[in-house]
Amino acid sequence: MFDPNESLWHLNQDPMEDSPEFLPLFSKQEEEESNRMSVPKELPVLAIRNTVLFPGVIFPITVGRDKSIRLIKEANKADKTIAVVAQRTPEMEDPSPADLYNIGTLAQIIRLMRMPDGSSTVIIQGKRRISVGDYTQEDPYLKAHTAHLDDEGFVEDSEYAAIIDSIKDVSQRIISLSPNIPSEAVIALKNIDSNRFLIHFVASNLNIEIAEKQALLEELNPKARASKVLEYVLKELQMLELKDQIQNKVRTDLDKQQKEYFLQQQIRAIQEELGGDTPDKEIDNLREKGDAKSWSKSVRDHFNKELDRLMRINPASPDYSVGLNYVQLLLDLPWDQVTEDNFDLEHARSVFDEDHFGLEKVKRRILEYLAVLKLKGDMKSPIICLYGPPGVGKTSLGRSIARALGRQHVRMSLGGLHDESEIRGHRKTYIGAMPGRIIQNLKKVGSSNPVFVLDEIDKLGRDFRGDPSSALLEVLDPEQNISFYDNYLEMDYDLSRVLFVATANSLDQIQPALLDRMEIIDISGYSLEEKVEIAKKYLIPKQRKAHGLKAKDFKITDKALEVLIEQYTRESGVRGLDKKVAALARSVAQHVASGTPYAANFKPSDIESVLGSEKLEPEHYENNETAGVVTGLAWSPMGGSVLFVESALSKGKGRMQITGQLGDVMKESVHIASSFLRAHADYLDLDLALFEAYDIHVHFPAGAIPKDGPSAGVTVLTSLASLMTQRRVKKRLAMTGEITLRGKVLPVGGIKEKVLAAKRAGIQEVILCEQNRKDILDIPESYIQGMQFFYVNNMLQVLDLALTHEPVKGAIKLTANTNHGPA
């Protein structure tokens, strides 16, 4: 057995010499002599563990086993030649022949020394590779038959020389990186002039397993052995470089922390001298502010816990600024700070009337809320959704509600919002994390009970970043928002005192679960009379102020306002009207500024001179002297409008053609109307053969505008009935309603907008479903003055009301044969 007592790179140093220099102990000449050295047929076998002896390598071994001591002593007295073989299992104390490898090294004892502790150390040098055959004795030590084992015939080439040079370069790099190898080992490498000894020398010092070293010893091809050694030294170099990088990084980090610590101490001393706040003083100030807050116990404990954590962090660390921002947010949030509500109902009513004309339903709902709050003293704020076309004052209503209640006002636009974190915030672990916009706005206004306007809630989006509408479910639920959880805040926050007012142009795009949590208040479009009043009371004074004009400088007559509304705008709200009034105000401002004469009071004749002749064609009732022409009513997010349905006959085979860029629902309405008409042909005295003798073409004008929905069902059926009977439809009549295959008339939405559009178009009579009667009752009488409404339940009632026996222009005598012409 042996026990290495120094670094492997020292093993070729003569242990008896005091000089630290490495010497080339195995030259080419010595290598050739060793190869010519005869191998005795029988040799004592020394078993070593934990390493492998290579030819040419000098090795010190501490001998401790009795068999090994006796073997060394007798061999030293004889010819000093022994066989050195590695053990397969290093833990074996008394190895048998089966526990040893079959390939070993012929070695020569150089010196035997007695150590001060009583042990013996022998220095041996490998000479050549041998194979170990049958063992002839096991006691008192091992002996076996041996034979020389030479390398395969090999001629050194350029590739082999390149491998050797690479081994030298990598070995020198390893020596420079390893702290356990003296730098003098480089000299030893340079002094080796035998390529094969260089391979053996490096292999003996590799930090690899015994089995891998034994495989190198048994490899008979020098080039293959050199390639394998190069692979091992490259791996060791990579490990050393990685360790060196890690050590340098750790050393750099420690140096940086120490530098930052000393700098921080200097800053602290300078701040104390200048009378500024040190980090400790800053935390003490924060703690004093927290003590002055009227917090709940849970919030106070959480705040103090965060401050204690902040004290343990290095002020120069990035985590310190993150923690400081967090505790500052806890201080700035209005946990229990609320504004006092104004319960004066007359004041609230005057504010609403001052800011908005009409909108009676909304005003009444807010006054009801104020009345309950005044009587009860405490109630959960309702979630209101103002639903209506653009420009009717939904967003500005939120500001008026806040002014009437004496609360702070917050407006949060949700249009195009895709990221759920905008509502719930980011976790503090993310770089640049911040609370959600709800918490941010509450911090900004400094109140826990503002009027919070969620603008354009129907335009929320969703993508891979989450679904903001789902995050709003908790916000807009009075049963849940008492404990709203923000990811950044990491605490529950009470939103139940916030009065949320959402606005939307369409309810179809709102998630059903979210829609269920809100109280929908429908804000319809304005009538012509209302728009005139709004312009006089709000828009004209607003534009005077915006353009620096006085009351005497800019006026518009009622007739001129009607021209603006009817011929230059087409909308349910007043946003477009406001822009036109601004255009007139700009023209006046130019005249006032330049001192040129102008007409201060705009009349209808003056409008075209300023706004030009690009007028919109007004929606007017068109005569229906021709069979098959019927006036219907339509709704869109922009408001109501009249919709004409035209149908025509042509000789054919009973085909149906539908045009006008229609959706599937509207096309289905045409087919339902056709089927109903066929099923009730007897009611109208129609010959069923006519449906097979003629092709029917149904067209919805304004073909470039997409149309869909079921509300044109009654209009289509009336048009087809008028066409097939060649009976004229009643003058100045419009209708809307969905039909079924049984002929029932179903209710539809948007009645107020449709009725206002009918009034603008000059319609005098309107046919509606009986269930839409309640919608007409909600419309002020002044809006529908001069109009008459008929309520029906089935299509036969519609036909009785709509069709007349008056002659139609260009009537056709319909027959089942092919000859037909004007009657």
Side-chain angles (χ1 to χ4, degrees), residues 741-760:
L741 201 56
R742 295 177 295 166
K744 292 190 65 176
V745 179
L746 302 180
V748 292
I751 295 299
K752 182 179 179 181
E753 287 82 359
K754 292 178 179 179
V755 169
L756 294 180
K759 179 72 179 296
R760 290 195 299 267

Side-chain angles (χ1 to χ4, degrees), residues 650-670:
S650 61
K651 174 66 179 67
K653 297 181 180 180
R655 291 186 294 267
M656 175 74 73
Q657 185 177 3
I658 308 169
T659 56
Q661 200 173 154
L662 308 181
D664 292 338
V665 177
M666 213 160 183
K667 291 178 182 178
E668 291 171 359
S669 296
V670 177

Side-chain angles (χ1 to χ4, degrees), residues 134 142 163 206 254 376 388 399 404 444 452 481 606 634 691:
D134 297 333
L142 297 175
I163 295 174
L206 287 174
L254 288 175
K376 192 171 182 292
R399 190 178 299 107
K444 185 190 301 183
F452 209 116
N481 62 14
D606 302 325
F691 290 96

Side-chain angles (χ1 to χ4, degrees), residues 256-461:
K256 181 180 179 182
Q257 289 182 8
Q258 291 175 350
K259 179 181 179 181
E260 290 176 350
Y261 173 76
F262 288 125
L263 289 174
Q264 193 64 35
Q265 292 298 111
Q266 293 176 0
I267 292 174
R268 189 190 301 270
I270 293 171
Q271 287 177 338
E272 290 177 352
E273 288 295 327
L274 296 175
D277 290 341
T278 62
D280 291 343
K281 181 67 174 176
E282 187 176 23
I283 292 177
D284 291 340
N285 292 337
L286 292 173
R287 198 180 298 275
E288 290 178 5
K289 293 179 181 178
D291 293 338
K293 290 280 186 178
S294 57
W295 283 337
S296 64
K297 184 178 184 302
S298 60
V299 177
R300 188 178 302 280
D301 291 345
H302 183 75
F303 176 78
N304 289 327
K305 181 180 178 181
E306 288 296 321
L307 281 183
D308 294 340
R309 174 179 171 274
L310 200 60
M311 292 186 66
R312 297 191 296 269
I313 301 177
N314 183 355
S317 170
D319 290 340
Y320 183 83
S321 60
V322 172
L324 189 62
N325 291 336
Y326 179 70
V327 295
Q328 192 64 54
L329 173 69
L330 293 179
L331 282 174
D332 293 342
L333 279 178
W335 294 90
D336 292 313
Q337 301 174 23
V338 294
T339 56
E340 185 177 353
D341 288 329
N342 187 349
F343 297 128
D344 188 345
L345 302 185
E346 291 302 322
H347 166 73
R349 192 189 309 274
S350 64
V351 169
F352 291 146
D353 291 340
E354 181 182 337
D355 292 348
H356 293 84
F357 185 83
L359 307 180
E360 297 301 327
K361 186 185 294 187
V362 186
K363 298 175 182 178
R364 184 171 63 250
R365 178 63 186 89
I366 302 302
L367 290 175
E368 290 171 355
Y369 167 69
L370 269 180
V372 176
L373 194 62
K374 181 177 182 180
L375 296 175
K376 192 171 182 292
D378 182 26
M379 68 173 290
K380 294 179 180 177
S381 294
I383 312 298
I384 298 173
C385 180
L386 304 178
Y387 156 63
V392 295
K394 300 185 299 297
T395 304
S396 59
L397 256 172
R399 190 178 299 107
S400 297
I401 293 172
R403 190 159 74 93
L405 295 175
R407 293 189 178 188
Q408 297 291 333
H409 172 258
V410 177
R411 177 185 169 273
M412 176 176 166
S413 178
L414 301 179
L417 194 70
H418 289 80
D419 194 351
E420 179 185 342
S421 299
E422 293 286 342
I423 307 296
R424 288 194 174 278
H426 307 77
R427 298 191 182 279
K428 295 201 300 290
T429 52
Y430 294 111
I431 296 175
M434 61 179 64
R437 291 171 64 179
I438 292 177
I439 296 297
Q440 289 183 44
N441 282 301
L442 292 179
K443 170 189 169 185
K444 185 190 301 183
V445 298
S447 171
S448 287
N449 67 335
V451 174
F452 209 116
V453 179
L454 300 173
D455 214 6
E456 310 291 354
I457 198 171
D458 57 323
K459 296 176 179 60
L460 279 172

Side-chain angles (χ1 to χ4, degrees), residues 85 253 309 371 393 775 787:
V85 182
D253 290 344
R309 174 179 171 274
D775 298 305
M787 297 183 71

Side-chain angles (χ1 to χ4, degrees), residues 1 49 65 87 89-95:
M1 291 299 298
R49 57 183 176 181
R65 197 163 40 185
Q87 288 183 207
T89 307
E91 293 79 10
M92 187 70 67
E93 287 296 332
D94 187 14

